[in-house]
């Protein structure tokens, strides 16, 4: 234990395991007992996407401390780390060269003679077998099939990198090793053409064998910061490969690496990674999350945006985590939530200060009660119980969406076409496309060609879509998928596309109640559990918990407030000049009102008396309009709070 404490004191960012219940701790102790029998030389660690070797160099220092704790000299430990412990792979030759140099220079810090020892680190540029000539296989003799197998595994290897899944067995690798040794022996006896030997074996067969060994073996620790590449950015060859081999994580290369790292870790051993945090929430990674629940998350530091000074803004939101390839029921994981810190320095300081408010203990498997199993470790038991209610799935309808395939041809602003051709059973129909933040009502500017000819095109063209006919001309609820989310009425005289996602209500008695719920802070908080981005899909909305039984005592009040908010927002929308409902600018309306009513004339007379003006001033009209707007805003605010 004294050695363990000494090692932990060396590791600035070490985060201990979460405190467990006695029966869970008993299971963990069995794993720790097995690990305690390991010798330093037994520990194999790898970075399968090593880049320029930063992680390898850090791992070298950690391994050195482990060796020193067991009484090894630095010189002996440096040699053993290169020979026994450290492995790395990368597809880029320059990255490999930098890693090789970095690791050797790190070894040189501990052993001045290491460069003269002829020891090579196990870091490799992944090589392809595309250029291996058929005649090289004659060296394999009766084992030519094994040679073909070796070559076939690494065709286009630079395209796939470490996510390749070689199917070479230990027996295959032993056969290849024996053949290589035999060929080398014959060559040294001068019985082989030296040039042919160098060209065939040293440049092709032996490098393939070396990397096959790295791919075949399992590791005690896998640590990496994998590359990020969404499926839309992949070429067809890579996209087809990941669809076939990694269907549960195919959405992004970093997620594929999460799955790949788990496959090369020994039982009860560890993978540590820093990746984008999207896999924790997005529906496209739900299968990956369910697969990861089969293993134990030891701890996580949820960094979010601005975790690295060189990456500005919210482009990359990250999380660092450690998984163990074990499965212990009722295990609690340790989480550090640093999302509220706004810079790399603040996040680092927040982590080191170990504030209790930043730490969470959670059994992730309990979150499977939530549809989609998002890893929302921060929610409490009360909120978790909310998900035992029925969801909006039972009260809403979603059945396709519209897509014209050519918006320039089929969409217009409503003021670009004859107003008499807009409406139900006419050529043009209003078309919700999201827009800026706006609750309750509004954001309708576009119209879609809804003529019979256009609808036929939407039905028949494979690049188009059209919502099912039974949903035409029905009232729904719409929102934008890009701006800060806000929900509003989709009128009967409108339809929508994916930028203005929408749902219809199966029981219209609950229309106002559902709209009110969606525009509440409660719904927004729960949506943050499903999806931490600002882009909420229809699935996220329909999975919101909503209990008819629990709102029943308040339904009439909720419906009245919701209807009032729709009317208030509609009045506000009518005053915008680009609104379909616009009739008169409010300044002009007030000016006419001041001229035609007794009450407002009294206001005008008083104002004129005070200012000595002889005509209706614009300032007064603006002041009255401003008061009207404030009154609407305050009423809307009060209704929402209620």
């Amino acid at each position: 234990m004294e050695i363990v404490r000494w090692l932990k004191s060396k590791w600035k960012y070490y985060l201990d395991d979460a405190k467990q219940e006695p029966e869970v701790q008993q299971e963990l102790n069995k794993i720790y007992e097995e690990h305690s029998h390991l010798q330093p030389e037994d520990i194999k660690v790898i970075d399968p996407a090593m880049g320029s070797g930063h992680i390898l160099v850090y791992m070298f220092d950690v391994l050195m401390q482990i060796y020193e704790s067991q009484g090894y000299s630095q010189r002996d430990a440096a040699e053993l780390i290169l020979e026994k412990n450290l492995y790395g792979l990368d597809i880029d030759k320059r990255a490999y060269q930098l890693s090789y140099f970095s690791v050797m220079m790190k070894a040189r810090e501990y052993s001045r003679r290491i460069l003269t020892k002829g020891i090579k680190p196990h870091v490799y540029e992944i090589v392809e077998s595309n250029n291996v000539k058929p005649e090289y296989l004659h060296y394999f003799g009766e084992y030519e099939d094994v040679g073909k197998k070796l070559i076939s595994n690494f065709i286009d290897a630079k395209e796939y990198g470490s996510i390749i899944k070689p199917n070479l067995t230990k027996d295959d690798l032993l056969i290849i090793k024996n053949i290589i040794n035999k060929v080398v022996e014959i060559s040294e006896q001068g019985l082989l053409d030296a040039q042919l030997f160098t060209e065939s074996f040293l440049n092709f067969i032996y490098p393939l064998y070396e990397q096959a060994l790295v791919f075949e073996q399992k590791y005690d620790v896998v640590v990496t910061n994998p590359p990020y590449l969404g499926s839309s950015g992949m070429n067809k060859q890579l996209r087809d490969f990941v669809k076939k081999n990694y269907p549960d994580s195919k959405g992004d290369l970093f997620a594929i690496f999460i799955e790949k790292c788990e496959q090369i870790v020994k039982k009860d051993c560890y993978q540590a990674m820093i990746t984008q945090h999207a896999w924790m929430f997005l529906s496209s990674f739900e299968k990956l999350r369910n697969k990861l629940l089969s293993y134990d998350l030891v701890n996580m530091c949820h960094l979010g945006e601005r975790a690295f000074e060189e990456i500005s803004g919210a482009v990359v939101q990250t999380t660092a985590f450690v998984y163990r390839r074990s499965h212990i029921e009722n295990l609690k994981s340790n989480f550090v939530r640093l999302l509220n810190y706004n810079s790399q320095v603040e996040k680092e300081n927040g982590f080191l200060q170990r504030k209790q408010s930043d730490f969470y203990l959670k059994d992730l498997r309990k979150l499977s009660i939530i549809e989609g199993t998002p890893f929302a470790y921060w929610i409490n038991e009360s909120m978790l119980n909310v998900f035992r209610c029925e969801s909006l799935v039972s009260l809403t309808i979603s059945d396709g969406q519209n897509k014209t395939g050519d918006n320039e041809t089929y969409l217009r602003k409503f003021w670009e076409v004859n107003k008499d051709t807009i409406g139900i059973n006419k050529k043009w129909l209003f078309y919700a496309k999201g827009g800026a933040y706006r609750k309750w009502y509004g954001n309708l500017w576009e119209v879609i060609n809804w003529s019979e000819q256009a609808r036929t095109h939407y039905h028949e063209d494979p690049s188009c879509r059209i919502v099912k006919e039974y949903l035409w001309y029905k009232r729904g609820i719409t929102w934008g998928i890009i701006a800060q989310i806000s929900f509003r009425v989709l009128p009967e005289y409108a339809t929508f596309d994916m930028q203005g996602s929408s749902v219809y209500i199966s029981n219209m008695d609950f229309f106002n109640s559902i709209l009110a719920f969606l525009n509440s802070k409660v719904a927004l908080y729960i949506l943050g559990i499903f999806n931490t981005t600002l882009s909420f899909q229809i699935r996220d909305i329909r999975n919101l918990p909503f209990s008819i039984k629990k709102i029943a005592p308040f339904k009439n009040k909720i419906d009245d407030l919701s209807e009032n908010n729709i009317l208030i927002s509609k009045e506000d929308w009518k005053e915008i000049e680009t609104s379909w409902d616009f009739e008169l600018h409010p300044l002009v309306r007030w000016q006419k009102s001041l001229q035609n009513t007794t009450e407002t004339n009294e206001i005008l007379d008083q104002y004129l008396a005070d200012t000595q003006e002889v005509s209706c001033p614009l300032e007064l009209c603006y002041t009255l309009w401003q008061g009207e707007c404030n009154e609407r805003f305050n009423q809307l605010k009060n209704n929402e709070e209620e």
Side-chain angles (χ1 to χ4, degrees):
M1 288 300 294
E2 200 60 42
I3 291 174
V4 173
R5 279 193 288 269
W6 179 81
L7 285 171
K8 289 180 181 180
S9 71
K10 296 284 185 181
W11 301 332
K12 182 179 180 181
Y13 302 106
Y14 182 81
L15 183 61
D16 222 331
D17 288 8
K19 188 175 181 180
Q20 307 292 341
E21 296 298 326
E23 60 274 14
V24 175
Q25 190 61 50
Q26 188 175 358
E27 292 298 311
L28 282 173
N29 289 340
K30 293 178 184 177
I31 294 175
Y32 299 157
E33 175 64 22
E34 286 294 318
H35 290 170
S36 70
H37 299 307
L38 280 172
Q39 295 301 311
E41 301 101 299
D42 298 330
I43 302 171
K44 293 189 185 303
V45 296
I46 187 172
D47 182 349
M50 64 186 178
S52 56
H54 290 85
I55 290 176
L56 293 176
V57 169
Y58 195 95
M59 286 199 290
F60 198 110
D61 284 331
V62 172
L63 287 163
M64 178 60 68
Q65 290 160 6
I66 293 172
Y67 272 100
E68 287 183 304
S69 73
Q70 299 298 309
Y72 288 76
S73 70
Q74 289 187 346
R75 180 185 299 174
D76 290 342
E79 294 178 13
L80 288 169
I81 290 170
L82 293 181
E83 292 177 334
K84 303 281 189 180
N85 304 120
L86 209 58
Y87 294 81
L89 293 169
D90 205 282
I91 59 174
D92 187 87
K93 185 174 184 177
R94 290 168 298 178
Y96 151 72
Q97 291 169 337
L98 285 170
S99 290
Y100 192 105
F101 177 78
S102 299
V103 169
M104 291 305 294
M105 288 302 98
K106 174 55 69 172
R108 174 66 176 73
E109 284 184 23
Y110 296 107
S111 175
R112 289 187 298 171
R113 298 177 183 175
I114 197 77
L115 299 179
T116 64
K117 297 270 187 175
I119 301 173
K120 294 183 178 180
H122 297 295
V123 293
Y124 302 99
E125 172 200 1
I126 294 175
V127 294
E128 296 181 331
S129 56
N130 300 38
N131 296 322
V132 176
K133 298 177 182 178
E135 55 262 33
Y136 296 166
L137 292 175
H138 82 271
Y139 290 119
F140 286 84
E142 61 182 300
Y143 297 108
E144 184 174 324
D145 287 346
V146 176
K148 289 180 178 179
K149 195 175 179 182
L150 173 68
I151 292 168
S152 66
N153 272 278
F154 297 108
I155 296 289
D156 296 330
K158 284 191 176 294
E159 187 69 47
Y160 313 123
S162 298
I163 63 174
I164 290 172
K165 293 182 175 181
N167 62 351
L168 291 161
T169 66
K170 289 184 178 180
D171 288 341
D172 291 333
L173 293 171
L174 183 60
I175 289 170
I176 297 167
K177 179 182 178 181
N178 291 335
I179 290 171
I180 289 173
N181 290 339
K182 183 178 180 180
V183 173
V184 170
E185 182 182 343
I186 295 172
S187 175
E188 289 174 347
Q189 294 173 1
L191 301 176
L192 281 180
D193 180 270
Q195 183 178 352
L196 180 62
F197 168 72
T198 301
E199 181 183 328
S200 60
F201 262 76
L202 293 188
N203 290 350
F204 288 102
I205 304 299
Y206 189 71
L208 291 176
Y209 167 71
E210 277 191 311
Q211 78 181 23
L213 286 175
V214 178
F215 273 95
E216 184 273 335
Q217 68 184 359
K218 301 285 187 179
Y219 297 87
D220 299 277
V221 181
V222 181
V223 189
T224 194
N225 176 10
Y228 304 162
L229 180 66
S231 57
S232 61
M234 298 177 187
N235 60 38
K236 185 179 185 302
Q237 184 178 352
L238 179 58
R239 192 161 53 246
D240 290 344
F241 177 85
V242 300
K243 280 182 180 179
K244 178 181 178 181
N245 293 280
Y246 298 93
D248 297 337
S249 53
K250 63 187 177 183
D252 200 288
L253 201 52
F254 77 79
I256 294 166
F257 265 88
I258 293 175
E259 191 171 350
K260 174 63 179 180
C261 288
E262 177 272 317
Q263 295 168 0
I264 61 176
V265 174
K266 294 178 183 176
K267 183 178 181 297
D268 294 335
C269 291
Y270 300 87
Q271 71 182 87
M273 306 180 71
I274 181 166
T275 69
Q276 291 198 48
H277 72 179
W279 64 271
M280 298 167 61
F281 311 104
L282 296 187
S283 59
S284 54
F285 298 115
E286 181 182 348
K287 290 182 179 178
L288 175 62
R289 287 194 294 277
N290 287 326
K291 183 175 287 188
L292 290 174
L293 288 177
S294 301
Y295 307 104
D296 294 328
L297 180 66
V298 179
N299 53 48
M300 175 181 286
C301 185
H302 193 180
L303 297 165
E305 61 190 55
R306 299 182 179 87
F308 303 97
E309 289 179 350
E310 59 269 27
I311 303 176
S312 61
V315 176
V316 177
Q317 300 200 48
T318 55
T319 185
F321 55 92
V322 178
Y323 261 97
R324 182 176 51 244
R325 200 167 185 269
S326 57
H327 184 95
I328 300 175
E329 288 296 335
N330 302 315
L331 180 88
K332 291 185 176 69
S333 306
N334 231 340
F335 295 89
V336 189
R337 187 172 173 85
L338 302 177
L339 302 188
N340 294 328
Y341 297 96
N342 295 317
S343 70
Q344 176 180 323
V345 173
E346 286 184 21
K347 290 177 190 291
E348 181 179 11
N349 291 337
F351 177 85
L352 295 175
Q353 288 169 11
R354 300 289 204 270
K355 291 181 181 177
Q356 193 62 39
S357 59
D358 294 333
F359 277 73
Y360 297 83
L361 286 178
K362 185 67 66 177
D363 179 354
L364 276 180
R365 295 178 184 113
K366 287 186 176 181
L367 297 178
S368 59
I369 191 175
I370 306 175
E371 185 69 29
T373 323
F375 283 10
Y377 59 85
W378 62 90
I379 66 173
N380 58 32
E381 289 299 314
S382 296
M383 181 54 72
L384 191 58
N385 286 332
V386 167
F387 290 95
R388 301 183 191 281
C389 297
E390 59 270 34
S391 71
L392 283 177
V393 167
S394 60
L395 286 170
T396 56
I397 301 169
S398 175
D399 198 356
Q401 59 190 16
N402 298 294
K403 182 180 177 183
T404 69
D406 182 3
N407 283 352
E408 288 191 10
T409 299
Y410 292 98
L411 296 190
R412 293 288 184 273
K413 300 295 184 184
F414 75 81
W415 52 83
E416 295 179 306
V417 301
N418 187 324
K419 66 178 183 179
D420 294 331
T421 62
I422 301 174
I424 296 173
N425 296 323
K426 295 183 179 180
K427 179 178 180 179
W428 299 96
L429 193 67
F430 272 98
Y431 198 50
K433 285 183 64 66
Y437 181 84
R438 185 175 180 86
K439 291 182 178 181
W440 306 106
Y441 190 89
N443 279 11
L444 283 176
W445 300 281
E446 279 84 8
V447 288
I448 182 174
N449 189 332
W450 206 247
S451 63
E452 185 175 350
Q453 181 182 2
R455 295 199 305 266
T456 300
H457 165 72
Y458 306 147
H459 272 297
E460 296 178 352
D461 192 313
S463 66
C464 303
R465 298 177 195 170
I466 186 169
V467 76
K468 298 294 176 62
E469 188 170 355
Y470 76 94
L471 294 175
W472 295 0
Y473 317 131
K474 291 185 179 295
R475 201 181 199 209
I477 296 175
T478 186
W479 65 93
I481 68 166
I482 295 178
Q484 183 182 357
I485 195 162
S486 54
F487 297 87
R488 51 196 164 269
V489 173
L490 179 74
E492 293 84 347
Y493 53 83
T495 187
F496 66 97
D497 80 347
M498 63 178 296
Q499 297 298 319
S501 296
S502 302
V503 293
Y504 296 93
I505 311 304
S506 55
N507 185 340
M508 290 300 287
D509 286 344
F510 292 94
F511 182 93
N512 283 355
S513 296
I514 292 172
L515 181 58
F517 169 61
L518 292 176
N519 275 328
S520 71
K521 292 175 68 175
V522 177
L524 186 62
Y525 178 86
I526 299 174
L527 284 170
I529 294 171
F530 292 141
N531 188 343
T532 58
T533 72
L534 293 178
S535 179
F536 295 102
Q537 307 300 320
I538 290 174
R539 170 179 171 157
D540 298 325
I541 307 307
R542 299 188 73 211
N543 282 336
L544 285 167
F546 187 86
S547 171
I548 293 175
K549 182 178 178 180
K550 290 186 177 182
I551 71 159
F554 320 104
K555 183 178 181 300
N556 290 339
K557 179 67 172 176
I558 293 170
D559 288 351
D560 290 344
L561 291 170
S562 183
E563 185 63 33
N564 187 228
N565 283 356
I566 294 170
L567 293 174
I568 291 171
S569 186
K570 187 172 184 178
E571 286 301 310
D572 178 73
W573 177 250
K574 286 169 61 176
E575 294 186 348
I576 299 172
E577 291 179 345
T578 53
S579 162
W580 169 257
D581 301 308
F582 178 79
E583 296 175 351
L584 196 64
H585 194 282
L587 295 180
V588 178
R589 172 169 55 78
W590 272 109
Q591 191 257 355
K592 290 187 174 184
S593 179
L594 286 169
Q595 292 176 341
N596 297 325
T597 69
T598 304
E599 181 182 349
T600 50
N601 271 325
E602 292 175 1
I603 299 173
L604 177 60
D605 291 342
Q606 182 60 48
Y607 188 86
L608 294 177
D610 293 339
T611 60
Q612 302 301 312
E613 296 286 348
V614 294
S615 62
C616 177
L618 179 63
E619 181 183 354
L620 176 59
C621 295
Y622 180 83
T623 301
L624 293 169
W625 178 41
Q626 185 180 51
E628 184 182 41
C629 291
N630 288 338
E631 184 179 345
R632 280 202 300 256
F633 174 82
N634 290 329
Q635 185 61 59
L636 196 68
K637 178 174 178 289
N638 291 338
N639 288 350
E640 289 184 351
E641 289 173 351
E642 180 68 19

